[in-house]
């Protein structure tokens, strides 16, 4: 099983690079960052620095979107990093939440996202693709490789990921929901004539190692608020009691009352005060190292290939070190 770390690109960028280096030393194989141009610093600039200061770490956004950058620019950025550092990038991509909404736009459609995934991958790997009806190719790409992993929750998005993506990013660590969603992706892949086991499954969620569960919950409650943005979109699309979306995912947002993106992804986010303790416990990985191993092992047994932990709390270094000492040796 692989392990990743997910960070915001808060200044100073040197601190992000330093923690990524620490994670690599502790056995992490992936380094991810948020991509929201208004809220945080430009991730791809920092990705270049991370790649230059690590040896094996695979780096990418969790997640970019097809609306804030033109597709040929996104592909060229990845292809340039790959040429410089030897195919050590992965493109995490979704419809767009904070990056789009903070800029006054709505998330893109699934059809738009699906087209973007195939164009970005083709261009970054040196193949010709149509962009706005114009055939384009990056003539300088040699032996490029760019896996594209799609973030998804709802049934149509999961089906799209199964049909065209190289991997699924599932932003919650609830074993029941994970099992249901992984099965949906693998079924869609099989129905499309693809090998369902060839799709990489990445679960991403906050991890907080320690015995003080109340404190850990308060440090990670923001995550339920972030997931709630996507769940609210699903409820608006499918209805509050739709068979298409499990109640185990949707029921907790009934007390949600708007969302302030100025606190997005941060401990103490007041827009996450509606998130109950049981959701924090289900969606996150909390407790001592032994409990972390137990829950991540359950995810692995459901077919999860990578656990990527969000480190947006007051124990970033301690959590990375605890994973390096106890969790990664047990499961890696």
């Amino acid at each position: 099983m692989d392990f990743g770390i997910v960070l915001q690109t808060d200044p100073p960028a040197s601190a992000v690079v330093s923690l990524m280096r620490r994670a690599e030393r502790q056995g992490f194989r992936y380094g991810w960052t948020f991509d929201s141009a208004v809220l945080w610093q430009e991730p791809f600039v920092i990705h270049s620095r991370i790649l230059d200061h690590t040896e094996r770490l695979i780096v990418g956004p969790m997640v970019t979107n097809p609306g804030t950058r033109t597709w040929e620019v996104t592909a060229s950025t990845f292809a340039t990093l790959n040429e410089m550092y030897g195919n050590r990038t992965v493109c995490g991509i979704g419809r767009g939440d904070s990056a789009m909404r903070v800029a006054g736009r709505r998330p893109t459609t699934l059809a738009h996202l699906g087209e973007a995934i195939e164009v970005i991958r083709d261009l970054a790997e040196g193949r010709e693709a149509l962009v706005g009806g114009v055939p384009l190719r990056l003539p300088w790409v040699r032996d490029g490789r760019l896996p594209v992993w799609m973030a998804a929750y709802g049934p149509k998005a999961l089906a799209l990921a199964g049909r065209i993506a190289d991997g699924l990013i599932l932003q919650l660590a609830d074993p029941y929901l994970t099992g249901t969603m992984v099965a949906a992706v693998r079924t869609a892949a099989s129905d499309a004539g693809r090998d369902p086991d060839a799709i990489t499954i990445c679960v991403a969620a906050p991890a907080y190692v320690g015995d003080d569960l109340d404190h850990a919950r308060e440090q990670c409650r923001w995550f339920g608020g972030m997931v709630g943005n996507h769940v609210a979109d699903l409820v608006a699309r499918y209805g509050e009691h739709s068979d298409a979306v499990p109640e185990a995912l949707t029921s907790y947002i009934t007390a949600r009352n708007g969302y302030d993106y100025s606190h997005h992804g941060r401990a103490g986010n007041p827009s996450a005060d509606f998130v109950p303790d049981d959701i924090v416990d289900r969606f996150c990985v909390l407790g001592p190292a032994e409990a972390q191993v137990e829950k991540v092992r359950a995810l692995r047994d459901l077919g999860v290939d990578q656990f990527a932990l969000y480190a947006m709390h007051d124990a970033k270094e301690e959590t990375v070190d605890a994973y390096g000492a106890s969790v990664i040796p047990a499961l890696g």
Side-chain angles (χ1 to χ4, degrees), residues 247-279:
E247 187 177 354
L249 177 62
T250 62
S251 61
Y252 83 99
I253 70 161
T254 55
R256 180 179 181 270
N257 185 25
Y259 191 85
D260 182 354
Y261 279 92
S262 66
H263 305 285
H264 189 59
R266 301 192 184 280
N269 182 351
S271 295
D273 58 1
F274 71 94
V275 180
D277 286 352
D278 72 294
I279 288 293

Side-chain angles (χ1 to χ4, degrees), residues 66-302:
T68 56
R69 308 171 196 273
T70 61
W71 303 349
E72 70 274 18
V73 169
T74 299
S76 182
T77 301
F78 278 109
T80 301
L81 292 172
N82 282 337
E83 189 278 327
M84 293 173 67
Y85 299 106
N87 288 338
R88 288 171 53 203
T89 67
V90 57
C91 177
I93 193 168
R95 293 176 57 228
D97 179 34
S98 62
M100 296 290 284
R101 287 181 162 126
V102 167
R105 306 171 205 154
R106 299 183 65 182
T108 62
T109 65
L110 286 177
H112 193 69
L113 174 59
E115 185 182 357
I117 287 173
E118 298 189 298
V119 167
I120 291 167
R121 182 170 51 209
D122 281 344
L123 290 176
E125 295 186 343
R127 295 183 295 276
E128 184 178 283
L130 288 176
V131 182
V134 178
L136 298 179
R137 187 175 69 85
L138 305 181
W140 47 268
V141 173
R142 299 289 184 273
D143 302 317
R145 182 176 180 275
L146 182 65
V148 181
W149 298 3
M150 179 181 155
Y153 292 107
K156 292 182 180 179
L158 293 167
L160 178 63
R163 290 196 302 271
I164 68 171
D166 300 299
L168 169 71
I169 295 174
L170 180 58
Q171 291 164 307
L172 51 77
D174 178 273
Y176 168 73
L177 292 171
T178 297
T180 300
M181 293 177 181
V182 169
V185 169
R186 299 228 190 272
T187 297
S190 181
D191 290 345
R194 306 179 68 198
D195 178 1
D197 294 326
I199 299 175
T200 302
I201 306 297
C202 173
V203 160
Y208 196 105
V209 181
D211 295 320
D212 188 343
L213 191 56
D214 289 337
H215 181 73
R217 285 172 177 150
E218 292 312 310
Q219 288 292 304
C220 298
R221 196 175 304 278
W222 63 266
F223 184 66
M226 185 184 83
V227 174
N229 297 328
H230 304 286
V231 174
D233 285 346
L234 292 176
V235 170
R237 175 181 292 269
Y238 295 103
E240 189 172 347
H241 302 291
S242 170
D243 292 337
V245 184
E247 187 177 354
L249 177 62
T250 62
S251 61
Y252 83 99
I253 70 161
T254 55
R256 180 179 181 270
N257 185 25
Y259 191 85
D260 182 354
Y261 279 92
S262 66
H263 305 285
H264 189 59
R266 301 192 184 280
N269 182 351
S271 295
D273 58 1
F274 71 94
V275 180
D277 286 352
D278 72 294
I279 288 293
V280 183
D281 293 347
R282 283 171 44 204
F283 285 11
C284 303
V285 184
L286 312 178
E290 297 80 8
Q292 305 269 329
V293 170
E294 181 180 359
K295 185 161 187 178
V296 177
R297 179 180 286 122
L299 295 170
R300 185 190 65 180
D301 292 345
L302 291 168

